Amino acid sequence: MYDVVLLTLGSERDAPGGCGSGGACCGGAAEAATDPMSQTDNGQTDTGSTGQAETGQTDTSQAETGQASQAQAGGDTERCATERPRVPVLACADALNARGARVEMVTARSDAEIDAVLARLDGPVRPDGLTWPDPDGKTRLVVATANDGQLRAVLRRLVRRYAPAPSKRPADLPGNRTLPDLPPVGVLPLDPARGGTHRDLAAQLGLPRDPAVVAAAVLDGTPRRLDLLRNDGGSVTLDGALLGAADDAGRPLHWRARVEVDDTILTDGDEPLLTCAVANAGGYAALADVTLLTAPDPADGQVEVAVAVPVVVRSAFGRKRVRLEVRRARGRAVSVLPREGKVPYLDDGVEGELTRKRSWWVEPGAWAVWSI
């Protein structure tokens, strides 16, 4: 018999829409105010390379769950009603109970409350003093997500919990990893799959959205291991990041940055860019009618990167025209060094601004989802 924790991320944030609707609350669009990637610089020390940054950095952010003080919330009358579990959560709990699992529903509004849930996944303390996930544990975790940013918030805390400091790196840790295998997570999407070019991670991975099928995957399924992107800002990326912005009329704004993938330089920072995609999966594979990424694979051990560069060319009659050149590369690590100003971005759907060098690197197979 398994103990299953159904974890929902909530907030006390004032929100005009319902929980999980359009990212209005519960770790949605307002999450950017407290996400570590959205804070400009964060006072982090730049690693100076695209290699792996040191683990165990100081957490300078509030929870990625989008928590806010009651003063910011502006009173109780308009506040998100997160005390009542969403219908899919109740349906999943019923399906788990029907199978004999012991189910507990938890709403976490801070990093500390997420950590208290994750502590149940700990294994016994190792001889070297490290506490890693229990591979034979009887506790399983289901994260009810209104958006990819909420799932990322939980994975970020798992990384914080189990990644050893560089000075305590054990000999049995694979050479291409900075953390052990994280425990599998059940994913319960709270909203129906949406159409359009951007699909959430559950849709990209083909994970079930029906609560009863999610329950079956958690109890009877097998772990499907996936790559994780870590970065030197102290956060993680599950799907990808899209850098760049448009003006009020929808026209892309030019910006400059040096973009390196391992030893390949996609742009040295002297030419204008329209956008840059850093991909683990395919959420940012296309921008409007432009294909940025060809075959992003969240389990191939590589990050795929693309930059879109406007290039002026002359016709046979001497007329100038602008064509869009897309340059792509794959590797283990990528760095983006802005040359001027702030570069807006989306990272797993969470908004932010980049003003200094940011490096991402791949942790192959570091996290997993329960899958049938």
Side-chain angles (χ1 to χ4, degrees), residues 140-143 145 148 151-152 154-155 158 181-189 200-208 213-228 238-239 280 298-299 365-372:
R140 297 195 166 177
L141 175 65
V142 179
V143 182
T145 62
D148 289 343
L151 181 60
R152 183 181 75 164
V154 176
L155 264 296
L158 280 171
D181 285 353
L182 299 177
V185 175
V187 180
L188 175 62
D200 65 13
L201 195 60
Q204 293 180 59
L205 297 175
L207 299 179
V213 182
V214 173
V218 170
L219 297 180
D220 302 326
T222 56
R224 177 182 173 185
R225 301 223 66 88
L226 301 164
D227 301 336
L228 181 73
L238 308 181
D239 185 355
N280 187 40
W367 74 292
V369 293
W370 287 111
S371 180
I372 293 180

Side-chain angles (χ1 to χ4, degrees), residues 270-353:
D270 292 333
E271 57 194 340
L273 299 177
L274 293 186
T275 192
C276 172
V278 176
N280 187 40
Y284 300 113
L287 181 64
D289 58 349
V290 178
T291 299
L292 297 174
L293 308 167
T294 55
D297 183 349
D300 65 355
Q302 291 188 313
V303 55
E304 183 174 356
V305 183
V307 295
V309 183
V311 178
V312 177
V313 296
R314 290 182 180 273
S315 69
F317 300 99
R319 295 176 182 173
K320 292 182 180 180
R321 65 181 181 88
V322 178
R323 67 176 178 86
L324 197 61
E325 179 179 295
V326 179
R327 304 169 189 167
R328 304 179 182 94
R330 294 174 177 269
R332 290 187 55 194
V334 55
S335 69
V336 178
L337 174 61
R339 291 302 194 193
E340 53 192 20
K342 301 176 180 178
V343 179
Y345 65 80
L346 289 173
D347 191 306
D348 284 344
V350 180
E351 296 179 356
E353 289 182 333

Side-chain angles (χ1 to χ4, degrees), residues 146 243 295:
L243 294 87

Side-chain angles (χ1 to χ4, degrees), residues 9 12 25 41 132 209 308 314 320 335:
L9 303 192
E12 297 179 3
C25 64
D41 297 345
W132 280 7
R209 306 185 88 88
R314 290 182 180 273
K320 292 182 180 180
S335 69

